[in-house]
Structure formats: structure tokens, C-alpha cells
Amino acid sequence: MINVRNLHKSFGHSEILKGISTHVEEKEVVVVIGPSGSGKSTFLRCLNGLETATSGEIEIAGMTLTDPKTNIHKLRQHVGMVFQQFNLFKHLTILENITIGPRKVKKIPAEEANRIARELLAKVGLVGKETNYPDELSGGQQQRVAIARALAMGPNVMLFDEPTSALDPEMVGEVLQVMKALAVEGMTMVVVTHEMGFAREVGHRVIFMDDGLILEEGPPKELFSNPQRNRTKSFLAKIL
Amino acid sequence: MDAIWQNLPVILVGLRLTIQYSIVAIILMVVIGLIAALMRLSKFAPLRWIATAYVEIFRSTPLLVQLFFIVLGLPAILPVNEWFGQLWYPILAAALTLSLNEGAYVTEIIRAGILGVDRGQKEAAQSIGMNGFQTMRYIVLPQAFKRMIPPLVNQAAQTIKDTSLLAPVGIAELVYKGEIVIAETFASFAIWGLIAVLYFILIFLLSKFSSYLERRLQVDKR
């Protein structure tokens, strides 16, 4: 589903990604962990073209992202993204937030788009919030709407960029639960997170990044209980 | 007082012309400002240069000089009066010059409004597959517009007042008609006072309309 070969990314003179290569299978849930500044968010943002790779190759959902001929807007319809700060459209209602993509980008008729949106709202447990504005919802609720908004495009892959980091502790669970349900359904997911419980329980594979490189990767059980690299050990000791 | 009552019809014709020029200029300044703002934010450098040059030129010279130059200066070297008609050229040229001048300020208002929208909004729009146009049209501009209302209304008030500068280049409007009446009646105190009150009323109504608009948007849309 995702194939990354020797991905480099620099901002000016500072090199953030120093050669990332990895592969994500269909239906696989990959959790990316690592200290802040290790490049994990940049890596994720490269996967849907929000950042342009300096060099290297990315194949995702059957398209080559790094090929200049690829229609990036088309590609992004197949790659959903959930942001740390939710980024719901502030001027639109909850229902409109979810339907605007299908209606304007995929040109789906309003009724059909509304039907899809209501189904998704039921799925993320927010029936009854259709006419509210994002500001009227809690952080956890907003993040669940953001997940529904991404799902409304019918993506093949979902990317999560620290989806619970901006949430009050009591709201983390409700978002993780929605993500877990999604994983169980067989969605291919790449999740940047500090939630080790989620990584252990839902993740098929954990990638540990440090200083722009993948230092270590493996099934969560192995990586957490028996890390091979000293850097991984010290990071896990601090966070677990 | 007699001077006012007897000449009120003439003054009201002037008022009507002032309102007409104001409406045309306000509409055009927003259209011009939006286009130039989008050009200034374009990835394509020549578009940015053109828009920047436009803004700088019109902001850095007095409107009165621009009006003299285009309405009265240009016909001295180009047969514009023949192209557009002796009657129409000054009117069209003056309205357009005024609109371009005000549009330069509107460009900066709209540009600042667009840049003021959180970057995350744009990224979220891109992440669901919207292209640049869709992102602007459905996500960025609607949010930018709300915060642009106060400065745009301010600029619209300025535009109404600036139509008075059409008088010196020979365009009939409120001040022009006032001068004619004063030349006949010598009632400068009464007529200038009346004209000031009429401008005040126009702009007062505009600001009432704007607070109504702001209130509505605040209640309905967060």
C-alpha cells in the first residue's frame, strides 16, 4: 500500500529526513514513535504531499507521489489525514465539514453526501451534532469529526499526526477507540503518536525514528520488551 | 435657509451622482483588490511583480494627481476622447482611476485577510483533495472575508469621501453641484454645511449596515 525508498527532506540547510525506506502492507497498522524533532511528522506529511520530498520515491495507494506527473489532488482523495490540531473548517457546521469534500471534490450530490456523513457521524458516536459548529464541540469530539471528514472521501490509507496530543487526558480514550475500531475494520493506517498503549494494542508494527532516520522497527511486543539499540532503550525508558 | 430650499433639487442631483460613483467604485475596488491580492499571493513571480507595482504606484501618489493625470493629462497625448466620446471619457476615466486607487488599499486588506487564516485550514482542505481554487473558494476566502469586513467598510467610507476629488477634474457630483450653487447664491456657509451633513448621513448609514452585517455573521457563523 505504501512504499518509501530513500526519502530525504531538507528545509533550507537543515536535513530533517536523512533517507527513510519502509513498506506498509494493506490493512497494516504502523505506529511511528520517536523524540520530538526526529522527523516523524515530516515523514507523515510527505506521504500525502503536504511536504514535498527533496529526493527519494514514495508510492502510495497505487500512485507514485514523487512523480511530478501524478495528480496530487487525486492522490490525496485516497490518503486521509488527521491533524494534531484537528483543523476542522471553522466556518462550516459539523455536517458541512464532512460533506464539503465529497460534494466539491468528488461531485457527489448533496443528499448522498449527507447520507454518508450521517453514517460516519454515527460511527464516531456524534449523532445529533450535525448543525453545531466546531467551536461548540470538545477537543475529543472535534478530532472524531476530523476522522469522519477524512473517511468521507473513502480513503485507502489513513495518516494520523499525533491525533491525541492536543487533547485533555480524559478525551484521549474516545479518539483512540474510534481509531481502534477503524484498525479492526481493516483500514491501512500510519499513526504518529506517543500513546504506547495504543501502539501495543492496535499496532502491527512500530517504527522508532530518531534524527531523521528509522533506527529500529518491529512488532510492538518485541520492540517494547527487547529494543536492540541504545537510543531506543533510553527513549522507551523515558516514555514507558 | 432659503438658499438651501431653493437649490435642494440641484444638490440632490449631486448627491445621486456621488452615490452612483461610490457604488461603482466600491464594487470595482473589491473586484480589483481581490484579483490583485490573489496575484500577490501567486506562485508565479511575474504576477506578483505586476500586482506589487500596481499597489505601490497607486498608494504612493495622491489620488488628485492620478485623476488630473489620467482624466486631463492622457487626452493630451492620446485620442481617448475620440475612442470613448468626449462626454464619456472623463466619466469613465475618473471612475476607473478612483476604483484603481481604492483597489490598491483593498488589495492589502484582502491579502492580509487571506494570510490571517490559519495554515491548518488550508492543509486540511488540501488533505481531502481540494485544489488551489477550491481551497480558496470554499475554505480560505469565506473565513478571511469575515475579518475583512471592518477594514473594507473603512475603505468604503474613504471611497465615498474620495469621490469629492472628482469635482476638481470637472466631474459633476455633490461638491461640483455645491460649487455651482454657491457661485450663484454666495451661501457658502449653508451649502457647505449641507454637503457635509449629506456625506455624514451616507457614511453613517454605511457603518450601520456594516455593524448589522457583522452581527449576523457572528451569530450564524463562528
Side-chain angles (χ1 to χ4, degrees), chain A residues 45 50 73 76 79 81 83 87-91 100-101 104-105 107 133 135-136 149 153, chain B residues 118-121 123-132 134 138-139 142-143 220-222:
Chain A
R45 290 163 60 85
L50 280 182
H73 310 299
R76 284 181 180 140
V79 183
M81 176 116 179
F83 299 87
N87 295 348
L88 291 183
F89 304 130
K90 293 191 179 80
H91 63 304
I100 192 154
K104 303 301 180 189
V105 178
K107 315 285 183 202
Y133 283 89
D135 281 0
E136 298 166 340
R149 173 179 68 183
M153 299 301 289
Chain B
D118 177 26
R119 198 169 63 119
Q121 295 286 311
E123 290 186 348
Q126 290 174 331
S127 79
I128 54 173
M130 286 195 183
N131 59 31
Q134 291 165 330
Y138 299 114
I139 306 302
Q143 294 187 47
D220 290 348
K221 309 206 159 171
R222 276 143 200 283

Side-chain angles (χ1 to χ4, degrees), chain A residues 191-205:
Chain A
V191 186
V192 172
T193 187
H194 297 293
E195 294 294 330
M196 296 302 144
F198 176 85
R200 213 191 296 257
E201 194 183 347
V202 183
H204 300 128
R205 179 155 52 101

Side-chain angles (χ1 to χ4, degrees), chain A residues 29-102:
Chain A
V29 177
V30 173
V31 177
V32 183
I33 62 171
S36 60
S38 59
K40 47 195 199 305
S41 280
T42 304
F43 168 57
L44 200 72
R45 290 163 60 85
C46 282
L47 293 182
N48 75 344
L50 280 182
E51 305 291 354
T52 312
T54 308
S55 69
E57 195 169 297
I58 300 170
E59 281 167 37
I60 188 163
M63 286 180 261
T64 308
L65 175 61
T66 39
D67 181 346
K69 287 195 286 281
T70 300
N71 181 341
I72 184 83
H73 310 299
K74 195 92 194 156
L75 181 143
R76 284 181 180 140
Q77 295 178 37
H78 299 280
V79 183
M81 176 116 179
V82 174
F83 299 87
Q84 183 175 353
Q85 301 294 341
F86 332 133
N87 295 348
L88 291 183
F89 304 130
K90 293 191 179 80
H91 63 304
L92 300 178
T93 64
I94 297 309
L95 197 73
E96 289 165 344
N97 259 279
I98 303 173
T99 56
I100 192 154

